[in-house]
Amino acid sequence: MTANKRIVLSSDHAAIELRQTIANHIAALGWEAVDIGPTTPESTHYPKHGAAAAQRVASGDCQLGIILCGTGQGIMMAANKVKGIRCGVCTDTFSARMIRQHNDANMLSIGVRVVGEGVALDIVDAFLNAQFEGDRHALRVDMITEMED
Ligand code: RB5
């Protein structure tokens, strides 16, 4: 993982406002928020936004990614099609911490129609404050990576 303190953010039309709130939140925490939109509320298609954010992480341009849609599920599925991406949907802080500690997740997905703003920001904090534990978990993450080839 490239430790450049840059986090890419994207969403579909459903989650623009929460995405921008999260971008401001992480910027206040000292991260560089790379918000790649969209910025206008027309209906759009979550796969292209998930893939675009995932490419920024996979290329090393951004250290981590945060993506959102109505449920968080569709955009997560798209992001996980990009080689090198491990993205989980979180609706609670325990999962947000564990996907970093055990799964070395490099992207977080949130559903704007599932959690409110306060919970979403706590999820983001839990994700960003956790560290991958390596050891036996590294072996398992490597097993996931091997499936990509
Ligand atoms: C858009 O209405 C909705 O389908 C999308 O935001 C997301 O929930 C898909 O997984």
Side-chain angles (χ1 to χ4, degrees):
M1 181 170 67
T2 315
N4 57 18
K5 292 282 279 182
R6 283 163 60 84
I7 299 179
V8 62
L9 297 106
S10 193
S11 71
D12 70 0
H13 54 280
I16 291 173
E17 199 175 317
L18 180 56
R19 190 193 77 230
Q20 290 171 339
T21 298
I22 292 173
N24 291 335
H25 178 74
I26 64 174
L29 294 174
W31 294 84
E32 183 181 349
V34 181
D35 189 341
I36 60 169
T39 54
T40 55
E42 298 86 44
S43 182
T44 183
H45 305 301
Y46 59 79
K48 66 179 181 181
H49 301 295
Q55 295 289 358
R56 295 291 191 110
V57 176
S59 70
D61 177 48
C62 294
Q63 181 178 343
L64 296 168
I66 300 175
I67 51 178
L68 305 94
C69 67
T71 59
Q73 301 288 353
I75 201 163
M76 173 275 289
M77 292 177 195
N80 275 323
K81 294 295 182 189
V82 175
K83 190 173 178 178
I85 295 304
R86 290 176 301 279
C87 181
V89 179
C90 291
T91 59
D92 63 274
T93 55
F94 176 78
S95 299
R97 192 170 77 245
M98 295 306 287
I99 65 169
R100 289 293 300 281
Q101 289 181 352
H102 285 193
N103 313 118
D104 199 18
N106 47 18
M107 294 187 72
L108 167 68
S109 184
I110 296 174
V112 69
R113 296 175 182 153
V114 182
V115 298
E117 179 183 306
V119 172
L121 294 179
D122 281 355
I123 287 169
V124 168
D125 288 346
F127 181 76
L128 296 181
N129 289 333
Q131 303 287 331
F132 181 49
E133 292 177 356
D135 197 25
R136 69 186 188 282
H137 304 296
L139 172 71
R140 295 164 185 163
V141 171
D142 287 347
M143 291 170 73
I144 296 173
T145 302
E146 283 164 17
M147 292 175 197
E148 295 179 330
D149 297 320

